[in-house]
Amino acid sequence: MANVWRGFLINLQFFTIIPIRKEIQMTQSNLRGMLITLPLFGLFIGMFYAFTLAGLIHLTSLSNLAIAILFLLLMVILTGGIHVDGWIDMSDALFSYQDKQKRLEIMDDPRVGAFGVLGLLFLVIVKFLFIYEVISTAEPYLFIYIVFIPFFSRLFTGIGLVLIKPAKEKGLAYLFHSTDSNIINLYLIYIIPILIILSIYNLKYMLGFIFLLCLIGILYILFKRFTTREFGGLTGDLSGAGIEGVELILWFLMWLLHYYVMAGL
């Protein structure tokens, strides 16, 4: 259990700006704990997002436009922009139309190219559109789904770090990679209680959760093919881009829910 707790703290240290004033050694057992707790870390982030957004909507007189901008900034600032950086680097490398090795070199380059800028603009504008229109309803289901968006994106990342080989023998993906497939089985420990709680609370939420699980499975298969074909494997930047991509798709689904399913909830 101590290794699991230290693994959770590693998630906080690497993927948030929350100050953890404790030096944690990157031992194999601690890194395994990091992967085990990655979905829980996402759930923690999601709860923080949901409570913060609820406070902005219900406890302030800010406009929906201001709330959407502040909430979008919160998501970037809390993570230190590390996932957005991965999205930018992936965009630069992917649209360079170079071979795999050259693409890996481009992602290692600290400079930002034109495709990285365009990729960032696309990500920010589209995500802002989804957030702005979704929060205009402030329906109760909104906050429940917001809790699960980071959960699913980190679940997706955890699966990738276990099942997709690193593209190079350095970097975060290589550091966090594990060949222990039992970690995937341990994720059921989180999924099963969530399904039980949602089925008791509202059967529609449970069915929605199952649908999203299936979607994550499909996205993982596509992501694995994409990273292997275009880059020769997984890197830290691609993991960050994967988180941003999955969350963008989930916000898109919430946006569709806002228009087509809201009346049935």
Side-chain angles (χ1 to χ4, degrees):
M1 288 301 295
N3 292 335
V4 171
W5 172 243
R6 286 194 291 267
F8 185 81
L9 293 180
I10 289 174
N11 280 309
L12 289 176
Q13 284 185 331
F14 269 88
F15 305 120
T16 73
I17 61 170
I18 298 174
I20 303 297
R21 305 190 183 282
K22 180 179 181 180
E23 184 176 351
I24 303 175
Q25 295 182 350
M26 297 298 160
T27 63
Q28 185 175 359
S29 59
N30 287 343
L31 291 176
R32 184 175 184 273
M34 170 263 172
L35 284 174
I36 290 173
T37 58
L38 193 55
L40 273 184
F41 166 70
L43 200 62
F44 169 78
I45 294 295
M47 293 176 65
F48 179 78
Y49 286 164
F51 280 111
T52 301
L53 184 59
L56 289 172
I57 292 175
H58 298 296
L59 301 179
T60 73
S61 57
L62 294 173
S63 67
N64 289 335
L65 177 62
I67 291 174
I69 293 174
L70 289 174
F71 187 65
L72 184 59
L73 288 175
L74 169 69
M75 290 192 290
V76 175
I77 293 172
L78 182 64
T79 59
I82 188 171
H83 308 314
V84 174
D85 178 69
W87 179 274
I88 294 171
D89 289 340
M90 182 206 68
S91 300
D92 264 336
L94 180 63
F95 295 107
S96 68
Y97 299 105
Q98 302 290 330
D99 58 35
K100 295 177 183 178
Q101 186 58 41
K102 185 61 177 178
R103 285 175 173 172
L104 293 176
E105 293 175 5
I106 291 173
M107 284 197 293
D108 286 337
D109 192 332
R111 295 172 295 181
V112 177
F115 291 116
V117 174
L118 291 174
L120 175 62
L121 287 174
F122 170 81
L123 178 68
V124 171
I125 292 172
V126 174
K127 185 177 283 189
F128 170 77
L129 168 66
F130 297 155
I131 292 173
Y132 173 71
E133 295 213 340
V134 167
I135 67 173
S136 64
T137 63
E139 293 289 334
Y141 75 86
L142 163 67
F143 305 105
I144 295 175
Y145 287 140
I146 285 178
V147 169
F148 289 122
I149 286 178
F151 171 81
F152 281 115
S153 65
R154 272 64 178 186
L155 178 68
F156 172 88
T157 301
I159 295 172
L161 288 171
V162 174
L163 300 182
I164 303 177
K165 69 173 185 176
K168 51 188 179 180
E169 295 184 355
K170 62 178 182 178
L172 290 182
Y174 181 75
L175 175 65
F176 294 143
H177 176 68
S178 174
T179 58
D180 185 2
S181 59
N182 288 326
I183 292 174
I184 308 300
N185 298 328
L186 290 174
Y187 288 164
L188 292 174
I189 296 176
Y190 312 135
I191 293 172
I192 293 175
I194 291 174
L195 286 173
I196 294 174
I197 293 171
L198 289 178
S199 66
I200 295 173
Y201 180 71
N202 189 317
L203 186 60
K204 291 181 180 179
Y205 292 146
M206 186 197 73
L207 295 176
F209 189 89
I210 293 173
F211 168 77
L212 293 178
L213 277 176
C214 295
L215 176 63
I216 291 299
I218 294 171
L219 291 176
Y220 161 73
I221 294 172
L222 296 175
F223 184 69
K224 183 177 182 179
R225 291 179 179 177
F226 167 74
T227 55
T228 303
R229 182 183 67 247
E230 303 296 340
F231 298 92
L234 191 64
T235 70
D237 283 329
L238 292 175
S239 292
I243 287 177
E244 289 295 337
V246 168
E247 293 192 353
L248 186 66
I249 291 171
L250 295 180
W251 275 105
F252 169 69
L253 291 177
M254 286 187 63
W255 183 65
L256 291 181
L257 185 68
H258 163 69
Y259 279 107
Y260 300 111
V261 187
M262 184 180 64
L265 291 178

